[in-house]
Amino acid sequence: MKAALFDYTRPADLQQGLQLLAEGAGDTKPMGGSQSLGPMLNLRLARPRAVVDVSRLPGMREVTVEAGALRIGGSVTHAEIEDGVFPELRGTLLQTVAAGIAYRAVRNRGTVAGSLAHADPAADWVLAMTALAARLEIVSASGKRLLPMERFMLGAYTTALEAGELIAAVHIPRLGADARWGYTKFCRKPGEFAEASCCAVFDADSGFARIVIGALDGAPRALPGLAAAFAASGALPSRDEVQAAIAAAAPGKDAVDRKLIAATLRRCLEEVLGHEKESA
Amino acid sequence: MNAVVIEVNRRSLRKDVPARMHLGDFVREEGRQTGTHLGCEHGVCGACTVLVEGRPVRSCITFTSACDRQSVTTVEGYDGDPVMALLRPAFSRHHALQCGFCTPGMLATSRDIVLRLPDADEARVRLELAGNLCRCTGYMGIVNAILDVLEQCRGEGVPAVSALRAALPRPDGGPAPQRKPFRTFTATDSGTLAAAAEAPREEAAAPVSGTRGGTNIQGSFTVPYPPGTVWAFMTDLPAVAGCLPGAELSEHAEDRVKGRIAIKFGPMSASFAGAARLERDDARRSAVLKGAGQDSISKSRANGDVSYRMVALDDGGTRVEVDLLYSLQGPLAQFSRSGLVKDFVARMIQDFGRNVALRLDPERAADAPLPSAHINAFGLAMSVIWSRIKRLFGRDG
Ligand SMILES: Cc1cc2nc3c(=O)[nH]c(=O)nc-3n(C[C@H](O)[C@H](O)[C@H](O)COP(=O)(O)OP(=O)(O)OC[C@H]3O[C@@H](n4cnc5c(N)ncnc54)[C@H](O)[C@@H]3O)c2cc1C
Ligand code: FES
Ligand code: FES
């Protein structure tokens, strides 16, 4: 099927883009790589009157270090992070995550901000950015705000973004040199959205310890008790501890789902400890 | 229309294109390069994969206007490409093509694998091919053809290919940083449960199960009024519609209604027009609303039975237990994994319950506008709908 009619504009700079979005009164959508918006336009599930292409806006295509945090421009693509185009991101959790999103042809166009704004509960960036305590730099014609990931996603496909707002960048606190992390997802087929996913980040230098599970019905959920205990002991939690933490964080899931999440979580923590990954 | 200049297979095309034209249609219809095949048109089959600025992209979910001043290479444009010069005979040798529908996309992807992953083994090749569907070959031949070409290009085997590889962006080598062993510590930040506190109320949705060809979602809400009062309200279809975010009635005769309901699920929107019939059991204070509708634009269809019953609570209030059995067909169903619909329905039930409580509140003016839905996306103003319903049926709130 073909998309319904819409207008397309590629603004010259951020200011012009924000102006167009402000004038669009909620009926104008930003467009990154169109890798999620495209299917929805083609299926006529999304019918904006106009789209503003932000994929080539200069300020949104770079990675810089600001006040001890990494600032990743919203229009940076998954493939650019995967390829190590930005030296600051090489060898990081972000590079690993990027390489596992969808397929290469999708990664070549899909952007970090587009993925976050789309807010699919199973999306990789949504989970990783929550585990990394990222903050979103959200801009509009009337100003700028920084919003922590925990307050960004309100539900499946639903975010705190208001009409006219754009994710200009993602700010990620830098981790210490001996930080450890794990990222595991369970998919029916490579490149498909995850059925269960887990991201864990442990940084002894700053006392930062997070275990976050994704692919739930809404936003990812942190398991703070489990994370604190794991940081203190470095020991894999027992089956019962894992089940209890999952039941508390994701009460709506049935037994089969909880088992899948538990297995994914366990593998993720094994990765944190540096155990060899089981071959598929 | 947008004016674009796009180089297709080294030929510059200057055209006015509608914004909704995707790149796959552009190369086929404007560029007359019909080798590119369109299968699914939503990014999952890989048949339409072409190169944009030398990199594989899905031409069905890439819009032509977004490729202005860029170069596109389709299966017709690989003459002189050193990788294709090896892949084409290898595909023939290894019987890697049968009907050929997937082949243009397979070749674009294979070229990318050969260039980007010189050391790929069979498992890696298969992983990289996961986004390209082939209905005929069973992949064996395709995988072997790619492994064959990778072998030919080992080391400096094919200088022209090495030169292309050298031009790719890649990390400046060096060993991956040695990861230090895990060190225990006392956590000062282990995440918050803030998300959990705001997340859908537990009682709102019970596990989903697939029954009778549909999906079942259960939920409930409580209101501080006696069951009799709530029951009277809940069997008054215009009143019920007035509390349902996005609903609008066009016809009403006894227990039958026609109308539409606009739903917004994040970026997705649909407006289902349909009819529903209420089967009520006054003795048990339970009812089933059976409805069906279709979204005229995406052509998605929905069927659903909403069963509800009143349960008297000790404090004099009522719990309304809702059981939704639904099935969804068409485009919307592709994005609606059951867990996501469950989350959506849970929010909807909560908004509905809150509206019912407000409408039953004797202290409140009957036409006072209802607050906007929790699901921030419901664009329709409830007050407008409510007054329209009242006008339609000449009712006094
Ligand atoms: C076949 C297939 C498989 C996939 N598998 C996965 C997977 O395994 N894991 C995964 O995480 N993702 C997956 N994806 C999604 C992919 O990662 C997309 O790249 C991503 O979700 C959307 O990014 P985009 O830049 O293309 O955004 P778009 O499609 O352009 O936009 C998506 C949404 O974000 C909004 N938006 C875009 N940019 C901005 C901005 N800067 N600020 C505010 N709002 C913005 C748009 O208005 C739209 O609502 C898959 C996609 C496909 C087609
Ligand atoms: S037609 Fe583009 S991926 Fe299927
Ligand atoms: S050769 Fe027929 S689909 Fe692949």
Side-chain angles (χ1 to χ4, degrees):
Chain A
M1 207 152 104
K2 310 297 177 196
L5 288 174
F6 60 87
D7 291 336
Y8 169 96
T9 320
R10 191 170 56 240
D13 57 32
L14 187 60
Q15 279 320 311
Q16 195 195 347
L18 294 176
Q19 202 54 46
L20 287 166
L21 287 171
E23 287 159 9
D27 220 9
T28 298
K29 281 198 136 288
M31 184 164 101
S34 72
Q35 301 301 285
S36 291
L37 192 55
M40 283 196 300
L41 287 167
N42 286 355
L43 293 168
R44 301 203 169 185
L45 291 172
R47 304 155 196 163
R49 199 191 52 73
V51 302
V52 176
D53 186 340
V54 299
S55 67
R56 297 199 219 167
L57 287 182
M60 288 174 61
R61 306 254 9 202
E62 43 197 46
V63 173
T64 49
V65 181
E66 272 177 25
L70 284 167
R71 180 188 182 278
I72 304 174
S75 296
V76 166
T77 65
H78 317 324
E80 282 166 340
I81 298 177
E82 173 185 23
D83 289 349
V85 168
F86 306 102
E88 299 85 352
L89 305 187
R90 283 182 204 152
T92 63
L93 167 60
L94 297 165
Q95 192 172 15
T96 307
V97 172
I101 298 175
Y103 315 107
R104 179 71 183 182
V106 173
R107 297 200 288 276
N108 275 331
R109 290 191 55 78
T111 68
V112 174
S115 174
L116 294 173
H118 185 60
D120 189 304
D124 294 281
W125 287 133
V126 166
L127 174 62
M129 296 302 180
T130 305
L132 286 166
R135 287 184 303 162
L136 305 185
E137 182 184 325
I138 297 173
V139 295
S140 70
S142 56
K144 171 165 146 178
R145 59 180 176 134
L146 274 181
L147 187 70
M149 262 313 279
E150 295 99 306
R151 287 201 268 124
F152 173 69
M153 189 167 156
L154 306 177
Y157 304 119
T158 311
T159 70
L161 280 177
E162 309 270 353
E165 283 188 328
L166 199 63
I167 303 172
V170 184
H171 296 248
I172 300 171
R174 294 199 91 164
L175 296 171
D178 9 335
R180 307 267 334 180
W181 42 263
Y183 191 87
T184 313
K185 56 177 174 170
F186 176 82
C187 306
R188 293 274 147 138
K189 167 182 172 252
E192 259 185 8
F193 278 104
E195 311 250 325
S197 56
C198 180
C199 182
V201 180
F202 292 87
D203 183 14
D205 289 349
S206 62
F208 184 89
R210 289 220 174 160
I211 301 175
V212 183
I213 53 176
L216 304 172
D217 300 342
R221 300 282 180 80
L223 310 182
L226 211 60
F230 184 83
S233 69
L236 289 175
S238 73
R239 217 169 278 264
D240 288 347
E241 286 163 339
V242 170
Q243 282 294 352
I246 293 171
K253 290 287 187 187
D254 65 18
V256 175
D257 289 334
R258 286 206 298 267
K259 190 143 191 162
L260 209 56
I261 300 169
T264 310
L265 190 150
R266 195 173 184 86
R267 280 192 203 172
C268 183
L269 292 182
E270 283 171 355
E271 212 179 305
V272 172
L273 292 177
H275 296 183
E276 278 302 310
K277 254 196 184 176
E278 278 175 55
S279 54
Chain B
M1 298 292 259
N2 294 73
V4 294
V5 184
I6 297 177
E7 201 180 284
V8 179
N9 299 333
R10 300 206 187 90
R11 188 163 62 100
S12 177
L13 293 180
R14 181 180 298 270
K15 301 273 180 187
D16 275 338
V17 297
R20 65 168 165 175
M21 178 179 257
H22 61 57
L23 185 63
D25 279 346
F26 178 78
V27 296
R28 289 178 58 89
E29 289 165 24
E30 302 292 334
R32 304 272 176 240
Q33 306 292 298
T34 54
T36 300
H37 294 161
L38 293 165
C40 65
E41 285 188 289
H42 58 274
V44 298
C45 77
C48 70
T49 310
V50 302
L51 306 184
V52 173
E53 299 286 287
R55 298 164 150 252
V57 307
R58 301 286 205 236
S59 64
C60 67
I61 52 173
T62 298
F63 291 97
T64 310
S65 304
C67 299
D68 184 29
R69 304 195 182 271
Q70 295 192 315
S71 72
V72 181
T73 311
T74 71
V75 71
E76 293 94 338
Y78 291 125
D79 284 351
D81 180 76
V83 186
M84 263 332 147
L86 301 173
L87 277 171
R88 281 193 290 226
F91 263 59
S92 305
R93 251 193 334 273
H94 292 278
H95 309 292
L97 77 175
Q98 289 182 23
C99 80
F101 192 84
C102 69
T103 309
M106 284 290 181
L107 284 172
T109 304
S110 305
R111 180 182 184 276
D112 179 59
I113 297 171
V114 170
L115 286 178
R116 206 163 45 82
L117 305 165
D119 303 318
D121 58 7
E122 178 179 337
R124 186 65 198 265
V125 168
R126 286 184 177 274
L127 189 71
E128 294 292 320
L129 284 181
N132 292 70
L133 303 184
C134 176
R135 290 177 297 182
C136 312
T137 67
Y139 297 86
M140 208 59 225
I142 301 174
V143 172
N144 287 340
I146 297 171
L147 290 172
D148 180 338
V149 173
L150 280 169
E151 190 52 45
Q152 294 176 53
C153 299
R154 286 259 182 264
E156 282 297 310
V158 185
V161 172
S162 305
L164 283 178
R165 282 176 176 166
L168 294 178
R170 53 176 63 253
D172 60 352
Q178 201 61 48
R179 290 176 76 187
K180 305 245 180 62
F182 186 85
R183 169 154 68 90
T184 57
F185 60 98
T186 307
T188 51
D189 173 350
S190 55
T192 58
L193 272 177
E198 286 172 26
R201 311 33 55 181
E202 273 94 275
E203 19 102 51
V208 178
S209 59
T211 42
R212 287 173 283 154
T215 304
N216 193 218
I217 299 179
Q218 284 152 6
S220 67
F221 61 89
T222 52
V223 277
Y225 301 99
T229 313
V230 183
W231 172 245
F233 186 85
M234 288 289 293
T235 49
D236 175 348
L237 287 175
V240 166
C243 293
L244 202 58
E248 199 177 336
L249 293 190
S250 56
E251 281 177 43
H252 172 222
E254 290 173 13
D255 284 340
R256 288 170 188 275
V257 283
K258 281 189 182 167
R260 58 172 54 246
I261 179 159
I263 59 162
K264 272 207 135 210
F265 189 19
M268 288 161 251
S269 56
S271 173
F272 285 91
R277 176 168 50 92
L278 188 72
E279 289 173 4
R280 48 199 281 186
D281 180 342
D282 286 289
R284 291 214 173 98
R285 288 189 178 139
S286 72
V288 187
L289 183 68
K290 292 175 181 278
Q294 171 158 332
D295 172 32
S296 57
I297 305 187
S298 77
K299 303 288 181 214
S300 301
R301 290 184 306 283
N303 273 293
D305 290 359
V306 188
S307 310
Y308 51 87
R309 62 188 194 99
M310 313 296 120
V311 179
L313 298 177
D314 292 343
D315 63 2
T318 303
R319 183 170 70 239
V320 181
E321 295 185 341
V322 184
D323 188 335
L324 170 70
L325 178 72
Y326 75 95
S327 67
L328 200 57
Q329 287 165 301
L332 200 56
Q334 308 208 26
F335 280 86
S336 310
R337 298 195 292 277
S338 67
L340 308 188
V341 177
K342 192 171 72 176
D343 186 59
F344 176 78
V345 171
R347 288 152 170 269
M348 184 110 149
I349 291 174
Q350 295 314 303
D351 282 336
F352 177 73
R354 183 200 54 189
N355 289 345
V356 170
L358 288 171
R359 281 289 169 235
L360 286 170
D361 183 353
E363 310 268 285
R364 225 171 149 273
D367 56 356
L370 292 166
S372 69
H374 276 128
I375 310 169
N376 61 2
F378 283 108
L380 296 175
M382 293 306 299
S383 56
V384 176
I385 299 168
W386 185 247
S387 58
R388 195 176 307 154
I389 290 168
K390 284 199 304 181
R391 229 183 305 123
L392 263 174
F393 303 105
R395 286 166 36 98
D396 290 316

